[in-house]
Amino acid sequence: MSGGKPNTEQEMEVILGFVEEAEPWELRSPQFPSKVGGKPAWLGYRDVPSLPVLECDICQLPMVFLLQVYAPISGQERSFHRALFLFCCKTPECYSRNDGSCMKVFRSQLPRVNDFYPFDPPPDDGESSGSDHDQVVLPVTGVKLCWVCGCPGNKACSRCHNITYCSKHHQTLHWKHSHKKACGSQEASNDAASLILFPEFELATEPEEKDVEQEEDEVEEEVEEEENAEKEGALKTESGAPLADALAEVDLEEMATHETQDNKVFQRFRRRTAAEPDQVLRYSRAGCPLWVSSQHVPSDHDIPSCTCGAKRSFEFQVMPQLLNSLRVDSTGASIDWGTLAVYSCSVSCNTEGYCREFLWKQDFSSEQQL
């Protein structure tokens, strides 16, 4: 994971992400940013996700850009440039379900020699003119972008024909809040974007420093996994059928120890994040996520294989601390999560355009608080 240039992949090492202020030019596509909020800085310019792909599976409204992680793979030519893009719904009620139906993640990658970027990386101080919000067309392909959210859209204003949108929903918002007055003028206000987009930040990164407690936690996790596997095996008869009586006893035991186990997982989460409480992302390709609860943890069968047939493996997780920077706090229903775990193709298969990957949303249990 890198904030601008390709880096050496370090599997199993955990890289922490933090939100930081940045100049607008630093968060543009040619700088290969990792960032939160604003409009997406698309990597590849072909087959960019658009509606209906970017609709929420629950409310069917357009999702908005949450964050992107620039994560090239060293030694893999097809992934010299590589980024993952995460979108989410802004309807608070859609987050009442403990699943990822209101979120989607996509992977884009390019070789070093491609149609969109020069062979050599951009300069660190290479500010160029203009602003992200002025970009209404993707270069090279000429794909029109929504003036409000930055996703592909060719639904034009029927009066001026100069502004395009991804959906009637965003067109209506823009018209109501600013475009009704500005339509046909030389200036096109984008006040409606502030109602839709999240605040924009750079994702700065640094390696996680492990202490003795963290290493002990990892050993404890391995022991628990082995013990759980042994318990499952003990509940089988010689023919492999579960024993009803044994299951009943286990159910009672689980009810008695559930709160203790859930608290143990949550306290482990708190210990691991205590040294860097402002972390909003944990990156560890082929590593393991840090769960906030013992409930709703995916099994291997819950993680679907890639369309190429290869298994998906964990790549990064979004932490609940990010919610503090998104300004989504509400006394009623609100955008919320315990953690968002992203799983991607383990071989990062060759793909044109944007390949959808898998996200697992885990909520806090009712007793937990950060």
Side-chain angles (χ1 to χ4, degrees):
M1 177 179 173
S2 170
K5 308 295 187 298
N7 67 336
T8 301
E9 180 190 17
Q10 294 176 305
E11 291 189 357
M12 307 306 289
E13 179 185 21
V14 177
I15 305 296
L16 305 181
F18 305 87
V19 293
E20 289 188 0
E21 299 287 345
E23 295 295 328
W25 67 268
E26 296 179 288
L27 305 180
R28 290 181 174 184
S29 298
Q31 300 298 322
F32 308 112
S34 291
K35 76 185 197 82
V36 170
K39 296 180 180 179
W42 300 111
L43 181 62
Y45 298 153
R46 294 194 178 98
D47 299 324
V48 179
S50 60
L51 295 180
V53 175
L54 286 178
E55 287 181 348
C56 172
D57 289 342
I58 301 174
C59 68
Q60 280 72 57
L61 288 176
M63 295 188 296
V64 298
F65 172 73
L66 177 61
L67 61 80
Q68 66 190 74
V69 175
Y70 182 67
I73 300 177
S74 179
Q76 190 179 84
E77 173 58 20
R78 63 175 178 266
S79 303
F80 185 85
H81 296 296
R82 180 175 176 273
L84 292 105
F85 297 77
L86 176 53
F87 293 80
C88 70
C89 181
K90 291 206 74 175
T91 304
E93 289 75 16
C94 292
Y95 290 81
S96 61
R97 294 166 49 165
N98 196 6
D99 63 34
S101 300
C102 55
M103 298 182 167
K104 293 180 182 178
V105 60
F106 301 88
R107 168 173 53 92
S108 177
Q109 58 194 48
L110 297 168
R112 186 168 188 176
V113 178
N114 60 78
D115 296 333
F116 312 126
Y117 304 103
F119 186 83
D120 294 319
D124 290 332
D125 58 351
E127 179 175 0
S128 56
S129 61
S131 164
D132 270 344
H133 295 300
D134 297 330
Q135 185 183 17
V136 294
V137 177
L138 283 174
V140 182
T141 61
V143 174
K144 295 180 179 180
L145 301 177
C146 176
W147 186 260
V148 175
C149 71
C151 295
N154 55 10
K155 188 178 183 65
C157 173
S158 60
R159 287 192 179 182
C160 68
H161 303 286
N162 294 325
I163 306 297
T164 56
Y165 306 95
C166 67
S167 63
K168 184 178 180 180
H169 179 63
H170 286 181
Q171 181 179 10
T172 301
L173 279 174
H174 192 212
W175 178 262
K176 178 180 178 181
H177 290 278
S178 60
H179 192 55
K180 183 177 181 179
K181 295 180 180 179
C183 185
S185 67
Q186 296 297 319
E187 296 183 2
S189 172
N190 206 17
D191 294 341
S194 63
L195 302 175
I196 294 294
L197 304 181
F198 293 112
E200 188 174 42
F201 301 97
E202 179 184 9
L203 264 177
T205 61
E206 64 180 46
E208 180 185 43
E209 295 184 6
K210 290 185 180 181
D211 56 27
V212 175
E213 283 189 353
Q214 292 174 353
E215 293 177 351
E216 290 176 349
D217 282 344
E218 292 178 355
V219 173
E220 183 180 338
E221 288 175 10
E222 293 178 0
V223 172
E224 287 180 358
E225 288 178 1
E226 292 177 358
E227 290 178 346
N228 290 336
E230 290 176 358
K231 288 181 180 178
E232 290 179 2
L235 295 177
K236 302 291 182 179
T237 61
E238 293 182 358
S239 62
L243 294 171
D245 292 342
L247 282 173
E249 291 179 6
V250 170
D251 286 343
L252 292 173
E253 182 181 351
E254 287 181 350
M255 290 175 63
T257 60
H258 167 74
E259 184 175 347
T260 302
Q261 177 63 23
D262 201 48
N263 184 64
K264 183 186 296 185
V265 173
F266 182 60
Q267 292 305 321
R268 182 185 298 151
F269 176 88
R270 297 189 67 172
R271 287 197 301 271
R272 288 291 298 271
T273 59
E276 298 287 356
D278 294 329
Q279 59 183 276
V280 300
L281 185 137
R282 296 173 64 87
Y283 184 94
S284 181
R285 187 166 185 265
C288 296
L290 182 61
W291 299 113
V292 301
S293 171
S294 62
Q295 304 175 55
H296 196 57
V297 174
S299 66
D300 290 342
H301 298 295
D302 292 320
I303 311 299
S305 296
C306 178
T307 53
C308 74
K311 290 185 176 181
R312 284 192 173 97
S313 59
F314 172 74
E315 183 149 358
F316 69 87
Q317 70 185 105
V318 183
M319 307 296 280
Q321 287 87 337
L322 179 60
L323 293 163
N324 297 327
S325 301
L326 299 182
R327 304 170 192 164
V328 294
D329 293 338
S330 172
T331 54
S334 178
I335 295 175
D336 194 19
W337 60 74
T339 193
L340 308 175
V342 171
Y343 295 80
S344 62
C345 177
S346 57
V347 299
S348 201
C349 62
N350 193 24
T351 179
E352 292 186 4
Y354 287 72
C355 177
R356 186 173 174 183
E357 297 290 10
F358 182 75
L359 178 144
W360 186 272
K361 173 174 168 280
Q362 185 193 51
D363 293 338
F364 288 108
S365 65
S366 57
E367 299 84 8
Q368 294 171 339
Q369 283 187 339
L370 272 180

